[in-house]
Amino acid sequence: MIALSSRLDPVKPSASAWVSQAANEARSRGEDVIDLGLGERDFDTPEHIKHAAHAADMAGQTKYPPTSGTLALRKAVADKLRREKDLAHGVDEFIVANGAKQVIFNAMRATLEDGDEVLLCAPYFGQYKDIVLILGGRPVTIPCVAENRFRLQPGDLVRAITARTRWIILNLPSNPAGAVYSDDDLRSLGVVLADHPQVMILSDEIDEHILFNGRKFRSFAAINSDLKDRTLTVNGVSKTYAMTGIASAVAQLEKESN
Ligand SMILES: Cc1ncc(COP(=O)(O)O)c(C=O)c1O
C-alpha cells in the first residue's frame, strides 16, 4: 500500500474530470449530452501541427531539450507575445513547460511559504485552489457576481489584500464564467495592485483566443506595464490549437514565426 503525503489531504477529486467521465458514460448509453466538464475544444488539432510534430520526431527531436525550452522555441514565443499581445520580453524572461498547469504549480512552489494567501476570483478554474492547498498556501476567494459580469471589482480586491497576500490569480478571459475585462477594468485593478508591492500577479491567459463578437484580447501586463516585473503571464497551446494531449507547441510556434 502506498502512503500518501498529508499535503494531499485537502485535495478533492477533480469535479470537471468527474463531469466529463459521467458525460462519456451517458454517451455510451446512447444519451445525447453536452459535456461542460473538461475544457476540450470542438475541433481536432490542425493537420499542419500534427505533420510538423511527426516530422520533428522523425528528425530525432526526441531528446532532452534545454530546461527552459529550445532557443528557437523561445524566440518564437517572444515573437508571438510581441505580435499578438504587445508584450516585449527577451528570450530569457520566460520558460517553456508541459502546460499551463505545470507553470502555475512551479511558480507557486517557488514562491509560497506556509500560510501565504493567494487570491482567487470565483468562479475559478478549480485546480488553482488545489495547487495552493497542496503547497501549504491559503486560497482566499473573492466572489465575482453575475451583476458585474463576473469581473473582479477594484473595491473587492482592496478589501481582500492583506500583509500575507502573495499572489492574485487572474484568468483572462475567465474559465468557467467567460468574464472578459476591458482595458479600463484591467487598468483599475493595476492601480490597486501598484499600492501593494508584496502581491504578485499571475495572469492565466490560456483562453486568449476564445473570444466572440469581435472582442479583442489585451494582456494584463500590456495594459499595466508598470507591474510587468511582478506579473507572470501564463499561456499555452492546449486551448487555442486543441492540443490538450500532445506537446507539439514547438512545431506550431516555430511555423507561426516563419
Ligand atoms: C483557466 C485554465 N488554466 C489552465 C488550464 C490548463 O492548461 P494546460 O492544459 O496547458 O495545463 C486550463 C484547462 O482547462 C484552464 O481552464
Side-chain angles (χ1 to χ4, degrees):
M1 178 85 161
I2 292 175
L4 296 178
S5 155
S6 58
R7 283 277 193 209
L8 290 184
D9 288 351
V11 178
K12 305 279 174 300
S14 156
S16 52
W18 181 87
V19 167
S20 288
Q21 194 183 326
N24 282 337
E25 284 167 14
R27 215 172 272 131
S28 66
R29 289 193 301 270
E31 293 172 35
D32 184 16
V33 289
I34 296 173
D35 178 1
L36 296 178
L38 294 174
E40 291 287 10
R41 302 305 305 275
D42 58 357
F43 59 90
D44 197 13
T45 307
E47 287 298 305
H48 66 275
I49 299 181
K50 292 192 221 171
H51 287 307
H54 182 60
D57 288 348
M58 297 310 285
Q61 289 186 36
T62 53
K63 307 293 192 302
Y64 289 125
T67 311
S68 52
T70 64
L71 185 59
L73 176 56
R74 283 184 289 129
K75 280 186 178 154
V77 174
D79 283 352
K80 175 212 153 62
L81 293 177
R82 198 171 304 108
R83 193 174 62 236
E84 289 185 5
K85 302 184 134 203
D86 220 5
L87 278 180
H89 279 293
V91 289
D92 295 331
E93 288 184 79
F94 50 82
I95 58 164
V96 177
N98 293 316
K101 271 193 301 264
Q102 189 190 14
V103 175
I104 297 167
F105 184 93
N106 290 354
M108 297 287 149
R109 183 72 190 88
T111 53
L112 285 184
E113 301 289 353
D114 281 351
D116 277 352
E117 293 168 5
V118 178
L119 304 181
L120 303 177
C121 312
Y124 51 80
F125 173 53
Q127 297 188 7
Y128 296 148
K129 184 175 174 186
D130 292 337
I131 290 172
V132 174
L133 287 170
I134 286 174
L135 296 172
R138 199 166 87 77
V140 175
T141 302
I142 312 177
C144 299
V145 295
E147 295 79 73
N148 294 324
R149 303 184 76 79
F150 299 107
R151 290 165 304 173
L152 173 63
Q153 301 301 299
D156 293 334
L157 176 59
V158 172
R159 281 185 286 280
I161 294 175
T162 72
R164 289 304 303 267
T165 309
R166 194 86 168 111
W167 285 97
I168 173 158
I169 301 186
L170 297 173
N171 182 201
L172 315 173
S174 80
N175 170 29
V180 178
Y181 288 70
S182 69
D183 291 10
D184 282 345
D185 292 333
L186 294 179
R187 224 169 267 124
S188 312
L189 297 176
V191 168
V192 173
L193 291 162
D195 284 341
H196 298 279
Q198 83 279 18
V199 183
M200 293 178 287
I201 303 110
L202 190 152
S203 186
D204 179 353
E205 303 179 358
I206 189 103
D207 287 322
E208 61 180 347
H209 287 292
I210 308 185
L211 281 175
F212 303 93
N213 302 330
R215 294 209 182 213
K216 293 269 175 291
F217 178 81
R218 294 301 303 280
S219 197
F220 179 85
I223 300 283
N224 294 290
S225 51
D226 54 322
L227 299 176
K228 201 172 143 200
D229 283 356
R230 52 186 165 107
T231 302
L232 174 65
T233 304
V234 176
N235 212 314
V237 293
S238 53
K239 309 295 175 180
T240 301
Y241 302 106
M243 294 164 67
T244 49
I246 59 172
S248 303
V250 182
Q252 171 60 15
L253 289 168
E254 284 180 352
K255 181 173 185 303
E256 280 185 355
S257 74
N258 288 330

